[in-house]
Amino acid sequence: MEILAKKDATGLNLLEFGPVTIEMSNEVVKALYQVIDQRLSESATAETEILQKKLNAYKVLASKMRAVDDRIIQKFAVQLLPEQLVTLVRLSGTDSFYQKVLRNLSKQNRRQFEIDYQEFKQITVHQACIYMEQIVPYIKKAAQEQRAMQEQVR
């Protein structure tokens, strides 16, 4: 539905919702603006909190990837997009996982990963959450492989 706001010849504010027209004084328009602004601010704050909670959960998940066996990292790392792999490594919060990923890439992929790691310094929280949502299935698969490998050792 299209909403149209305009002033009539007398200076009265008109708000048109399809076939319905509402006349409003300037005070009502100001109050309506304040209500809309407040609601939008509340939803932005709530969205930010949700993103932060997701990011914290993804940081824990990324830090657990440090314990994954090298053979699984070798298969896992090449399945991800460069942005996804960089995000995962950055969220792990340690240099040890960075080194582990480097150690398990081919020479060419290693050089490319180092370049990507330097280029993707400014990943926003929103982008990080999107990349992590995309790679969760790969992480689940890696976790299953890790469990299967540990059971074989027992």
Side-chain angles (χ1 to χ4, degrees):
M1 174 185 288
E2 187 174 317
I3 300 173
L4 182 65
K6 61 183 177 181
K7 286 188 180 247
D8 67 3
T10 63
L12 195 60
N13 299 300
L14 301 176
L15 200 55
E16 295 180 10
F17 300 89
V20 178
T21 302
I22 300 173
E23 297 177 355
M24 293 184 221
S25 66
N26 284 335
E27 294 79 28
V28 173
V29 171
K30 288 178 185 175
L32 182 60
Y33 173 80
Q34 288 174 344
V35 168
I36 291 172
D37 185 51
Q38 179 184 2
R39 295 276 168 88
L40 289 175
S41 295
E42 288 173 0
S43 69
T45 302
E47 185 177 319
T48 302
E49 289 175 8
I50 290 170
L51 280 175
Q52 199 59 44
K53 285 180 183 178
K54 279 185 179 181
L55 186 65
N56 290 337
Y58 290 139
K59 283 181 180 180
V60 170
L61 188 60
S63 67
K64 289 182 179 181
M65 288 298 292
R66 291 180 294 195
V68 174
D69 189 77
D70 285 357
R71 290 173 284 182
I72 295 171
I73 293 291
Q74 288 172 5
K75 289 190 286 185
F76 173 79
V78 296
Q79 294 175 335
L80 304 181
L81 296 173
E83 298 89 350
Q84 294 170 331
L85 186 57
V86 169
T87 300
L88 180 67
V89 171
R90 288 196 184 279
L91 287 179
S92 73
T94 65
D95 190 52
S96 63
F97 188 57
Y98 174 80
Q99 294 301 324
K100 185 173 198 166
V101 169
L102 282 179
R103 190 172 57 241
N104 288 290
L105 291 173
S106 66
K107 286 183 181 181
Q108 182 180 358
N109 286 343
R110 184 180 310 136
R111 281 192 297 273
Q112 186 59 50
F113 175 71
E114 289 174 325
I115 292 168
D116 293 339
Y117 192 82
Q118 293 302 316
E119 287 180 2
F120 301 132
K121 287 183 179 180
Q122 298 297 324
I123 298 173
T124 65
V125 171
H126 188 262
Q127 288 172 320
C129 286
I130 289 172
Y131 293 145
M132 289 301 292
E133 286 171 4
Q134 293 169 346
I135 64 175
V136 163
Y138 297 106
I139 293 172
K140 286 180 180 179
K141 185 177 178 185
Q144 289 172 346
E145 290 178 19
Q146 180 73 23
R147 274 188 238 114
M149 187 179 287
Q150 287 174 341
E151 288 178 12
Q152 287 177 350
V153 172
R154 292 180 190 175

